[in-house]
Amino acid sequence: MTTLAAPPATRIGAAKALRHGLTLARRGVLKIAKNPEQLADVTIMPILFLVMFVYLFGGAISGDTSSYLQLVVPGIMVMTTIQASVTVGIALNTDVSKGVFDRFRSLPIARSAPLIGAVLADLVRYLVCLVVLLVVATIMGYRVGTSVAAIPVAMALMMAFGLAFCWIAVWVGMLVPNPGTVQGLMAVLIIPVSFGSNIFVPSETMPGWLQAWSDVNPVSLLADTLRGLLNGGPVAGPLLGALAWMAAILAVFFPLAMRAYRKRLA
Amino acid sequence: MNDDIAIRAEGLVKRYRETTALAGVDLEVPTGTVLGVLGPNGAGKTTAVRILATLLQADAGHATVCGHDVRRDPVGVRSVIGLTGQYASVDEDLTGAENLTLIGRLLDLPKAAARARAAELLDRFELTGAGGRAIKTYSGGMRRRLDLAASLVGRPRVLYLDEPTTGLDPHARNEVWQVVRGLVDEGATALLTTQYLEEADQLADRITVFDHGRVVADGRSDELKRRVGGQTLQVRPTVRSDLDLVERILAELTGASPARDDDAALLTAPVSDPTLLSAMVRRLDEAGITADELALRLPSLDEVFLALTGDAATRPAEPERSLV
């Protein structure tokens, strides 16, 4: 796949690569189970934001906390997914710097298997984070206004978004020397993208330039899609924009990430 | 390809921007033998291992492992090698058993077989009790033994041991040595890199000395020792005040002026004729002098190494050794 193969070379088929990827994904999930504190990191932050915004600013922004809750929960779901997707970059970077990757690479498995494994394990992370968030939100009084069937659809959309967005983290993870730097650099990207959106406040109250950005921000578009799905309202418009963003992120960062991955491991 | 040569490398070159890590290295490891690659930090040992393990591509030269070309058939190479060392590691969050089972699964063993193989290796490396604990709770020695076990899951024909005992205390180092000796007795072919001269002396059939990305010497350990200098006669009189007298006797017998270490009360002189040892015993006896130490010895690999590389500054500090 990535080798400059000449005839006598031993090859690894796609089915085998996928099986190795799944084996490594199981390792990732096992690690999540063993280090719940790492998951707590990405789970608790959004919940803190949820509680703080709802009870602190909710009344001021929406008139009362319960209607603000309906506005903010879908947005925080997007924020959670973005934050959880950084972990893949950190995990890959840690594996490379600790030499675990060299062990994998000395085995007759596909070069892509560790990457497939890391990204698949991330799906489990998104799912756990989102479920915890929804449970807390429900306890606080959040109610799905459409139908319960909308929840798995919303989850699936978030997973798809996470799978697109995580390539930025993979790319950064392969470029910088240590795991801490991945976190720092990704925060620089995530904070303006998360806050410069309509997830906490409607963009109408923002100054023109910020409103212009917020309206095209993929985080806003995804939050609007989820609001439509879960609370009721238009879905198609924001979904189209969100899908366009996801495709664009994938088109740019997947190749960049793959190049950086190969280079890091060369 | 020749079957009795497990690892063959010719003219390996690797450059990193300014520095040349390998400047044309040839290696040949016959099947069933251990080659010790000895050299200070930065000599290119790890680079050579990484190229031979297909983790790195050489800029020039070529190499085969059990007939598989490292460049053209990396997967073939990976299916016959095991890698242990400072860089190839295991997952610290997982338990010993989980790590070994994971590798077994990646080597396409069925689940039950992977578990059985893990249990077998844990048992063999006396880690059964620790098999259920996360690696991060392991001591240094246990960690290295597990690293070794991890490299053996696939029953490799060729084993790379990249500085397997660096950073271990003498006890843990001994444990690892015993494991390696056991593997060698079973007929493994191994390439061992080390900064410890004693380690190469203990474990390797042949030793290749690297310095600044080149092979500066190659041979059996006694050959290397002989190449650098002959034997020496060492005497340590029981009573310090006898030093002068012993020095005179030694000078008379060997015809050379002995090196004198007053701190250790030790006299050393080069000898060409091994029978001088018995002459020395007689002379000391006649003079009524007893000695705590009286020995004929080959130069230590330390001395060999120093003589070969001629560059003390690049050597790692080895506090436990004192140069005579």
Side-chain angles (χ1 to χ4, degrees):
Chain A
M1 203 172 290
T2 61
T3 52
L4 306 161
T10 321
R11 311 281 309 206
I12 292 167
K16 212 169 175 184
L18 185 65
R19 186 155 44 80
H20 293 153
L22 283 172
T23 301
L24 287 167
R26 212 169 298 129
R27 157 184 178 251
V29 174
L30 206 55
K31 278 170 77 85
I32 295 174
K34 282 176 188 269
N35 286 319
E37 72 275 6
Q38 275 173 18
L39 192 63
D41 210 32
V42 278
T43 315
I44 290 172
M45 264 303 260
I47 290 172
L48 276 181
F49 273 110
L50 180 67
V51 172
M52 184 173 80
F53 272 82
V54 168
Y55 295 123
L56 216 54
F57 310 120
I61 296 167
S62 296
D64 62 285
T65 52
S66 57
S67 46
Y68 184 65
L69 197 58
Q70 298 299 117
L71 172 86
V72 86
V73 166
I76 290 185
M77 286 175 72
V78 182
M79 192 179 174
T80 301
T81 309
I82 288 190
Q83 282 190 347
S85 76
V86 174
T87 323
V88 72
I90 297 171
L92 284 172
N93 187 290
T94 309
D95 277 354
V96 171
S97 21
K98 290 215 165 168
V100 178
F101 249 63
D102 276 351
R103 165 80 65 204
F104 293 151
R105 292 174 60 230
S106 74
L107 300 172
I109 61 173
R111 290 251 143 149
S112 58
L115 199 54
I116 297 173
V119 171
L120 289 183
D122 240 28
L123 285 181
V124 176
R125 209 187 316 268
Y126 305 151
L127 195 65
V128 174
C129 290
L130 290 171
V131 167
V132 172
L133 179 70
L134 275 181
V135 168
V136 174
T138 308
I139 293 168
M140 286 171 69
Y142 178 75
R143 294 295 173 264
V144 174
T146 51
S147 90
V148 187
I151 295 178
V153 179
M155 293 280 196
L157 178 63
M158 283 301 97
M159 303 255 199
F161 174 57
L163 280 186
F165 198 83
C166 75
W167 295 105
I168 302 181
V170 173
W171 180 55
V172 172
M174 290 296 108
L175 286 183
V176 303
N178 56 62
T181 317
V182 183
Q183 191 131 39
L185 271 181
M186 287 306 288
V188 171
L189 170 72
I190 286 174
I191 290 173
V193 169
S194 299
F195 285 91
S197 75
N198 69 13
I199 65 176
F200 294 113
V201 286
S203 48
E204 293 83 67
T205 61
M206 298 173 186
W209 59 270
L210 186 55
Q211 188 179 341
W213 160 241
S214 170
D215 287 345
V216 294
N217 185 340
V219 174
S220 302
L221 294 168
L222 278 158
D224 279 339
T225 311
L226 291 187
R227 285 177 189 128
L229 275 169
L230 298 172
N231 301 347
V235 171
L239 178 61
L240 218 59
L243 290 178
W245 265 108
M246 282 155 60
I249 291 171
L250 211 53
V252 173
F253 289 99
F254 179 72
L256 282 177
M258 287 310 287
R259 213 178 63 177
Y261 177 71
R262 288 206 189 103
K263 207 164 164 195
R264 180 74 178 250
L265 299 183
Chain B
M1 276 292 143
N2 200 338
D3 253 2
D4 41 292
I5 300 296
I7 307 171
R8 189 196 298 275
E10 278 161 22
L12 292 182
V13 174
K14 184 70 191 176
R15 291 184 203 88
Y16 294 104
R17 284 193 201 111
E18 310 283 280
T19 55
T20 301
L22 290 180
V25 161
D26 299 335
L27 289 176
E28 213 174 67
V29 189
T31 303
T33 68
V34 180
L35 176 71
V37 174
L38 189 63
N41 269 330
K45 305 186 299 290
T46 294
T47 304
V49 168
R50 290 177 70 84
I51 290 170
L52 293 172
T54 74
L55 299 183
L56 201 63
Q57 288 224 346
D59 296 325
H62 62 93
T64 57
V65 181
C66 294
H68 301 280
D69 189 296
V70 292
R71 194 186 303 267
R72 284 196 305 271
D73 187 11
V75 178
V77 173
R78 284 176 215 141
S79 61
V80 296
I81 62 166
L83 176 62
T84 293
Q86 22 172 14
Y87 299 109
S89 188
V90 290
D91 191 323
E92 294 184 350
D93 291 332
L94 302 188
T95 68
E98 284 165 348
N99 265 299
L100 298 182
T101 309
L102 171 70
I103 292 168
R105 295 289 287 152
L106 290 173
L107 290 167
D108 299 322
L109 292 179
K111 214 174 252 173
R115 285 215 193 95
R117 178 75 178 140
E120 182 190 330
L121 285 166
L122 287 171
D123 182 49
R124 167 164 184 193
F125 290 91
E126 289 164 26
L127 288 167
T128 307
R133 281 181 13 219
I135 302 295
K136 55 186 164 203
T137 68
Y138 283 24
S139 70
M142 290 163 71
R143 172 79 199 253
R144 295 298 167 92
R145 275 183 284 150
L146 192 94
D147 271 341
L148 262 169
S151 65
L152 295 177
V153 174
R155 304 176 200 277
R157 287 153 65 190
V158 171
L159 199 56
Y160 299 123
L161 304 161
D162 188 19
E163 302 200 9
T165 63
T166 298
L168 291 185
D169 61 51
H171 174 71
R173 191 185 297 177
N174 262 318
E175 286 177 358
V176 172
W177 282 0
Q178 271 180 11
V179 167
V180 174
R181 277 197 202 102
L183 295 172
V184 171
D185 287 344
E186 288 164 34
T189 303
L191 191 153
L192 164 88
T193 77
T194 182
Q195 305 184 31
Y196 302 112
L197 310 147
E198 195 190 349
E199 186 159 277
D201 208 4
Q202 291 266 349
L203 300 176
D205 297 301
R206 291 183 71 83
I207 296 174
T208 290
V209 183
F210 273 34
D211 195 39
H212 297 298
R214 286 178 196 284
V215 173
V216 292
D218 179 49
R220 288 203 318 272
S221 115
D222 55 340
E223 283 171 4
L224 289 181
K225 288 174 180 175
R226 217 165 281 135
R227 190 183 312 174
V228 171
Q231 294 164 308
T232 55
L233 188 59
Q234 273 188 339
V235 191
R236 191 200 309 271
T238 312
V239 183
R240 247 168 216 275
S241 53
D242 288 337
L243 265 180
D244 289 336
L245 183 54
V246 176
E247 187 173 3
R248 238 179 298 134
I249 297 170
L250 198 52
E252 213 176 286
L253 277 176
T254 62
S257 66
R260 175 168 170 158
D261 181 344
D262 278 306
D263 293 330
L266 191 69
L267 292 160
T268 311
V271 290
S272 46
D273 177 7
T275 62
L276 277 177
L277 181 61
S278 46
M280 188 70 196
V281 172
R282 267 197 312 276
R283 291 289 303 267
L284 289 175
D285 207 29
E286 284 164 20
I289 296 168
T290 55
D292 284 347
E293 193 180 327
L294 177 60
L296 198 59
R297 58 184 282 278
L298 286 170
S300 74
L301 269 179
D302 262 325
E303 293 155 304
V304 174
F305 191 64
L306 203 59
L308 288 172
T309 61
D311 188 1
T314 62
R315 295 178 60 243
E318 283 192 275
E320 75 266 41
R321 306 234 23 144
S322 60
L323 288 174
V324 189

